[in-house]
Amino acid sequence: MGIIATIALVVLGISFMVFVTFFGRLPALRGTPISWLHKVIWVHFPNFLKSIDRRVTGGRIAPTCTRFGNYMMYDRHPSVLIFFLLLLSIGEILYLPTAWPQLSPLTKFTGAISIILPYVFLYLAAFTDPGYITPSNHSSEMSRYPYDFTLFHPGTSCHTCHLLKPARSKHCSVCKRCIAKNDHHCIFINNCVGANNHHWFILLLLSTAVLTAYGGILGVYLMASRMKFFFPYWALLPWNANNGSGIPLRDWLVIWSWGFQNQVGMGAVTLLAGLTSPLVWGLLGYHIWLVYCGTTTNESMKWSDWSFEMREGFAFKRKMQDGSVRQKDLRIEPGWTRWPAETEQVLVRTTENGQMPAEDDQSLPGYGPWEAVWGLKDVENLYDIGFWDNLVDVMVPGYNFRDEPNGAGGRGGRGGLRKRKKRRARRIYLA
């Protein structure tokens, strides 16, 4: 079992490090061992190495390593994309020669589809324009979403692109562009995940999750059948072996070891697929949860910051006039959007010893008295209109949820400005 145990430990270690790297900064994991480990690995340990470098070499090595690390993590290059492609293709080269002759025609058909789809969706996610905002499409991007006057306020300009930032957009420091509905920059696709390729990214996660689960389960089945043929008393579960009387765990593991070594290529890939599948399914589940909450990875971080302000007593809200009657400043805010809801609140923060803004302050939007906000449960998320509509927004980019301003029907428009369901931002933070 030495070889198998070594492979399993290496794969588990890599999977855990990837999990810590990508999930350690999530708001839901703050204050957990995962967040602490992320700080140790990516903050404290590098600082420790820098201190050693300063003592030994006078700090000559650290800047070079930092530049290389920043290039690998924060610059646009296809290294991780190529690694992902190699991982898929080499795994299939090792797996298929042994497994393919043992498969039925139906399994070959479904297996071929599960193999092809990740490549298709990877290509579409990586090479589709994620939603670059340019002077030519700026006006249409402004009408994609209304400002919620909470996370996104009108009048904010990008200092790099020199354009007004549409609601839910963000400037990507890697792509050097503003991205519509920016979720995050994904190094596995060497591209941002934005309004125009979010659906391809979700489908990539789904197809990869299915492929790893399919390959792992099928590999276990094929190896178990072969081991059962040579060792009739063996069973997949040790207590079911030997006609239900069971066999010692050591003997059961020895037979497993024989099965891996007898079909080493397929066995290694089966083990890799089985150990990495939960990580891929977890990532898919997280992004489906974000869709359910009507938010993005970027916005979940913003909600986390708001939660801190609320706990400190620096957040206040008041009502906003209905979007159909409110006089909008068309220089900085779209007069019409395809979104079926308008904001009902204004949320502001103050640093003046937690003092509530003046009710008659004309520089702040909204009307009526200000109310202190102490938690995310007391504010609403404008961009959550129910799971199925949230899903439509992701899977059908540019879908019109209401009629065009001139009364003509939009693409699949549902007509009218309908009242959305009450969705509290508390759920976003817990995500």
Side-chain angles (χ1 to χ4, degrees):
M1 285 297 294
I3 296 177
I4 298 175
T6 301
I7 295 174
L9 289 173
V10 169
V11 172
L12 280 174
I14 294 174
S15 300
F16 182 71
M17 288 293 293
V18 171
F19 178 83
V20 170
T21 299
F22 286 100
F23 290 95
R25 293 183 60 203
L26 292 180
L29 295 178
R30 289 186 179 179
T32 67
I34 299 297
S35 175
W36 176 82
L37 190 58
H38 183 275
K39 290 180 181 178
V40 169
I41 295 173
W42 294 106
V43 178
H44 300 307
F45 184 66
N47 289 338
F48 172 71
L49 294 179
K50 288 179 181 178
S51 65
I52 294 178
D53 177 50
R54 284 194 297 269
R55 294 179 182 179
V56 176
T57 69
R60 289 190 292 270
I61 298 177
T64 302
C65 295
T66 300
R67 284 194 297 271
F68 177 75
N70 288 337
Y71 171 75
M72 293 300 295
M73 293 298 296
Y74 305 113
D75 211 343
R76 193 169 185 181
H77 56 84
S79 304
V80 180
L81 173 62
I82 293 172
F83 170 77
F84 182 43
L85 281 170
L86 289 175
L87 191 64
L88 284 175
S89 57
I90 293 175
E92 289 155 5
I93 290 171
L94 293 174
Y95 186 96
L96 290 176
T98 303
W100 196 258
Q102 306 178 56
L103 304 180
S104 66
L106 178 60
T107 307
K108 288 180 179 179
F109 175 74
T110 56
I113 293 176
S114 67
I115 289 171
I116 293 171
L117 286 182
Y119 291 99
V120 173
F121 294 135
L122 177 62
Y123 172 81
L124 292 171
F127 295 99
T128 296
D129 176 352
Y132 296 131
I133 299 173
T134 64
S136 61
N137 68 6
H138 183 258
S139 60
S140 62
E141 291 298 343
M142 288 287 287
S143 65
R144 189 185 287 271
Y145 297 102
Y147 292 99
D148 63 351
F149 288 83
T150 299
L151 302 183
F152 305 99
H153 293 264
T156 304
S157 297
C158 175
H159 299 298
T160 303
C161 300
H162 304 294
L163 294 170
L164 282 174
K165 286 186 175 182
R168 309 192 80 180
S169 68
K170 180 179 182 294
H171 185 87
C172 176
S173 60
V174 179
C175 294
K176 312 296 190 291
R177 309 280 288 275
C178 280
I179 311 296
K181 195 191 176 186
N182 191 326
D183 188 277
H184 70 290
H185 184 90
C186 179
I187 60 175
F188 285 98
I189 65 173
N190 192 35
N191 199 4
C192 269
V193 177
N196 294 340
N197 69 342
H198 195 179
H199 57 308
W200 298 130
F201 178 74
I202 294 288
L203 291 173
L204 171 62
L205 290 178
L206 176 61
S207 60
T208 305
V210 170
L211 176 63
T212 55
Y214 194 108
I217 294 171
L218 183 62
V220 168
Y221 170 78
L222 294 176
M223 289 197 301
S225 300
R226 185 169 181 80
M227 289 183 284
K228 185 71 175 177
F229 177 80
F230 284 96
F231 305 95
Y233 60 88
W234 184 86
L236 188 60
L237 301 175
W239 50 84
N240 290 337
N242 204 15
N243 295 324
S245 60
I247 61 174
L249 181 61
R250 180 180 178 278
D251 295 343
W252 183 79
L253 292 174
V254 167
I255 295 175
W256 261 117
S257 177
W258 176 88
F260 275 101
Q261 294 177 16
N262 186 258
Q263 303 175 91
V264 64
M266 186 178 71
V269 177
T270 298
L271 187 62
L272 177 65
L275 293 174
T276 57
S277 187
L279 178 65
V280 184
W281 280 103
L283 188 58
L284 172 64
Y286 172 70
H287 280 276
I288 294 297
W289 177 256
L290 290 180
V291 173
Y292 174 74
C293 294
T295 188
T296 63
T297 302
N298 172 53
E299 290 164 9
S300 70
M301 299 292 184
K302 291 178 179 291
W303 282 119
S304 176
D305 293 338
W306 266 117
S307 179
F308 176 79
E309 298 283 351
M310 293 171 186
R311 290 197 303 269
E312 296 296 314
F314 294 145
F316 299 89
K317 72 172 184 178
R318 70 176 176 180
K319 294 180 180 179
M320 170 65 84
Q321 296 90 341
D322 186 271
S324 60
V325 298
R326 178 170 60 89
Q327 188 68 33
K328 298 181 179 181
D329 186 348
L330 300 183
R331 296 171 300 175
I332 59 174
E333 187 179 1
W336 175 92
T337 68
R338 66 184 184 88
W339 203 239
E342 294 278 355
T343 187
E344 299 174 353
Q345 69 188 11
V346 179
L347 194 65
V348 298
R349 54 170 59 91
T350 175
T351 57
E352 299 177 1
N353 300 319
Q355 300 235 342
M356 187 177 296
E359 184 176 333
D360 58 352
D361 188 345
Q362 298 299 317
S363 65
L364 297 175
Y367 68 95
W370 291 95
E371 177 186 348
V373 180
W374 298 100
L376 287 171
K377 66 181 183 300
D378 299 322
V379 296
E380 291 198 15
N381 176 20
L382 173 64
Y383 307 118
D384 181 7
I385 54 176
F387 173 67
W388 293 113
D389 285 338
N390 294 344
L391 189 62
V392 168
D393 181 48
V394 170
M395 302 307 292
V396 188
Y399 183 90
N400 278 355
F401 287 93
R402 57 170 169 163
D403 294 339
E404 299 286 0
N406 61 3
R411 288 174 291 171
R414 302 190 175 191
L417 179 61
R418 58 186 179 78
K419 186 74 172 178
R420 72 190 187 279
K421 297 177 182 178
K422 297 292 185 180
R423 300 286 176 174
R424 298 299 182 182
R426 173 181 57 85
R427 210 176 58 197
I428 297 170
Y429 180 61
L430 293 177

